[in-house]
Every structure is written in structure tokens, then in C-alpha cells.
Amino acid sequence: MFSSSLSSSRRICVAPMMDWTDRHGRYFLRLITRRALLYTEMVPTAALQRGDRARFLDHHPDEHPLALQLGGGDPAALAECARMAEDWGYDEVNLNAGCPSDRVAAGGFGACLMAEPERVAACVAAMKAAVRVPVTVKHRIGIDDRDDGEHLDAFVRTIVSAGCDAVIIHARKAILGGLSPKHNRTVPPLRHDLVHGIKAAMPGVTVVINGGIVTLDQAAVHLERVDGVMIGRAAFDTPYMLADVDRRFHGDPGPPPTRAEILDALVDYARQQQARGVGLDRVFRRVHGLLRGLPGARAWRRRLQEIILRSNADPLLIAEATGRLMGQL
């Protein structure tokens, strides 16, 4: 079983998203909420076994609590990569059984794994035998025509029996070979009721719901039925909503950080990263939604884009642009 602190952080977590939850995107989110559980982008096992491990596994200490999501379907390879994750200090290892990409499916992992629950169970068991940190699975409610409550129930029971510590269920089925990953996030209808039903049928299983949840008010309603809520694109479309997570869901005292404080801290981080050869665009490319809804936010976004496209620009220019906008409010 995982620690009570990790269980608490799981109440609100941010989904693994390719090109979004890289280490710089995660650091940005951590400046907004200290408590939400963050996930890496999906990392294929082959990339860790054959590539530059530090490139995929290095992270800032402040990113915790932090989970590594793995893509793979071979139990031995997943066990080896889970050990790497534990050695690198990750708080959880998560198996991707929900990505509908044709390229991912060609590698024998992602959502296609839902057609082979016993194989997923073998992967979970191998990882559990290799590490002490929690092992979880993120999956869909089903694939193609296997999308009813019976199939979902059987899948969850199979992987839980292998030791899966929590299931994170995207409340849409995946349509394989017919829809792009983008359309698979919007076209199949949401079935939050099926996820609620899994928790009702298996009250001892930790169930986290994902899909179409874009506000903390919506999250609060779901938390009456499940153990956790995973927020996806909305975490970057309107990131400042996460500033209320620590107070609202964890009872933390004190005011949340202001937008200006968040950007000031990110400027300091960007200067450290520049010294390591990291361009401003890598650090700031996911912050455009931070001032969404404020007067002058569009002009600020334009100015931000102008600055970050200049690789050697001083990050203080961003702080100055933000300061001018805040001074007008």
C-alpha cells in the first residue's frame, strides 16, 4: 500500500500528456499547487533501456509528489524500468493502457492492452515484485466494441488481483484504428457513470476518474463517488484554477500564490536552466493560460511569445511585462 500522503495527493492529480508534462511543465504546475500528484509524459520502456536515461528520468526535487508513466507490454522490461524509476526517486510507477495511438499500438502497448487483461496483470505483477513504490494502471473504460460495464469490471478485477494499487480510468472508450488520438479525447462519449460503478462495486479499490473534468467544482462532485480526480488539458488551459487545490482539498492554511509570484519564481528557474543551455521556449511554452481571463492577457501572451522566441533573452523581461500588466489591474 502507498503512503497516506500520496493517497491524499491523488485526490487531485494532473494527467500524463505528451509535450505538456515534461519536466519544465511540471515545475510550472508545482509552483501553483504543492499537493497535486503530477505525472510525467509517457516514457516507452525501449527509450529507457536503450537511450539516455537521464534525459527521461531526471527531474527537479520540487516536482514531488511525482509519478513516472511507462509505455510497454513486456513484463520483464517493465520491471527493469520500474526499478529505474524507483532508483531515480519517483513516488509511483504507472502503466499506460489507454493511449489509442496507432504508433503506440504497433509497439504492443497503450489502449490495445485492454484486449489482454491477463497480460496487463502479468506486467503489474512483475513491476510489483521489482519495486516498493505503488504500481498503478491508467486505462480507458474499454476499446472498440468492448465498452460495457461487464468488460470494464472484468479488466479491473484482473489487474487488481495482480497487485495494482490504483486504477486511473479515462471515462471514454478508445476507438482503435479509426480515430486519431486527438479525436479519441473528444469523440467517444463520456461515461463517468461506469467509473463510478467500478468504485461502488469494488469499494476497496482506489479509483481515480479522468476525462472531461475542467473545474474544481466538477472535481469535488466526482470526489463524492471516487477516490481521486485526474485533470488533463484544463491544467494548462486554465492553470491558475489549481492554485485552490491545496486549500480546498487539503486544508492548507494561507493564501494561494499569486500569478505574479508564480511567474517570478519561474523566471528564477528559467535563469538557472539557461545556465544549463535550456532555452526560454522550453520553460515558458506551457504558461500562456496562466493569465487567462484577465484584462490585457492577450497582449501579455503576445509579448511572452516575442521574448521566448529569442533564445538568449533575459527572463527578467517576462517579469517586467507581467509587472506592467498587474500594475494596470
Side-chain angles (χ1 to χ4, degrees):
M1 296 299 293
F2 39 81
S3 70
S4 59
S5 61
L6 188 62
S7 298
S8 176
S9 293
R10 196 180 301 285
R11 285 173 60 77
I12 301 292
C13 47
V14 176
M17 293 176 279
M18 297 301 294
D19 296 324
W20 290 84
T21 54
D22 64 4
R23 61 182 303 178
H24 307 300
R26 298 190 306 264
Y27 188 86
F28 165 60
L29 295 178
R30 185 56 75 216
L31 293 173
I32 304 173
T33 168
R34 296 181 298 108
R35 296 285 205 135
L37 176 60
L38 304 181
Y39 283 74
T40 69
E41 303 169 283
M42 181 185 67
V43 181
T45 54
L48 292 180
Q49 290 178 306
R50 305 169 194 167
D52 180 355
R53 294 177 185 177
R55 172 190 168 195
F56 297 104
L57 296 177
D58 279 356
H59 57 276
H60 195 284
D62 289 350
E63 291 178 42
H64 292 278
L66 179 62
L68 175 72
Q69 185 181 72
L70 292 172
D74 176 70
L78 284 164
E80 178 185 355
C81 293
R83 281 191 292 269
M84 295 180 202
E86 187 172 55
D87 290 343
W88 245 267
Y90 284 87
D91 302 299
E92 174 190 313
V93 182
N94 176 262
L95 175 62
N96 183 317
C99 178
S101 162
D102 290 342
R103 186 174 63 177
V104 167
F109 59 99
C112 68
L113 287 174
M114 290 199 71
E116 302 179 79
E118 295 295 343
R119 182 181 175 192
V120 179
C123 292
V124 169
M127 289 189 285
K128 285 290 292 182
V131 299
R132 293 169 294 177
V133 297
V135 172
T136 65
V137 177
K138 186 175 188 293
H139 56 90
R140 297 281 184 133
I141 57 172
I143 54 174
D144 298 330
D145 58 348
R146 306 179 190 186
D147 61 346
D148 58 24
E150 183 178 345
H151 281 95
L152 179 59
D153 185 281
F155 180 83
V156 172
R157 289 185 188 278
T158 299
I159 63 176
V160 167
S161 68
C164 181
D165 290 295
V167 291
I168 304 161
I169 308 176
H170 186 156
R172 285 187 174 93
K173 73 174 181 179
I175 299 175
L176 304 181
L179 287 181
S180 68
K182 178 180 179 180
H183 288 138
N184 259 300
R185 291 194 298 268
T186 56
V187 173
L190 283 164
R191 292 292 310 275
H192 290 140
D193 60 303
L194 291 181
V195 185
H196 296 159
I198 290 295
K199 181 62 183 179
M202 301 175 232
V205 174
T206 298
V207 176
V208 178
I209 193 168
N210 172 229
I213 302 166
V214 299
T215 70
L216 295 187
D217 285 344
Q218 292 174 343
V221 172
H222 285 289
L223 284 172
E224 296 176 2
R225 308 284 296 276
V226 294
D227 303 289
V229 170
M230 177 173 276
I231 295 173
R233 292 284 189 277
F236 289 98
D237 290 342
T238 54
Y240 196 63
M241 72 169 179
L242 297 175
D244 203 34
V245 165
D246 300 355
R247 180 199 62 81
R248 182 168 181 176
F249 297 100
H250 300 280
D252 287 6
T258 66
R259 292 174 173 88
E261 289 170 341
I262 292 164
L263 284 167
D264 283 347
L266 196 61
V267 164
D268 290 341
Y269 172 79
R271 301 191 85 172
Q272 298 168 14
Q273 294 300 310
Q274 269 191 328
R276 298 180 173 93
V278 177
L280 286 184
D281 60 322
R282 292 282 308 282
V283 176
F284 284 95
R285 63 179 178 157
R286 298 306 182 202
V287 310
H288 292 77
L290 183 63
L291 272 59
R292 190 179 302 278
L294 296 181
R298 182 175 297 179
W300 176 82
R301 288 194 296 270
R302 286 197 299 267
R303 178 59 177 152
L304 174 66
Q305 192 65 19
E306 292 171 359
I307 295 169
I308 67 176
L309 288 176
R310 293 156 47 194
S311 59
N312 295 320
D314 189 334
L316 284 175
L317 292 172
I318 296 172
E320 292 171 2
T322 304
R324 284 195 294 273
L325 172 62
M326 293 302 179
Q328 296 168 8
L329 298 181

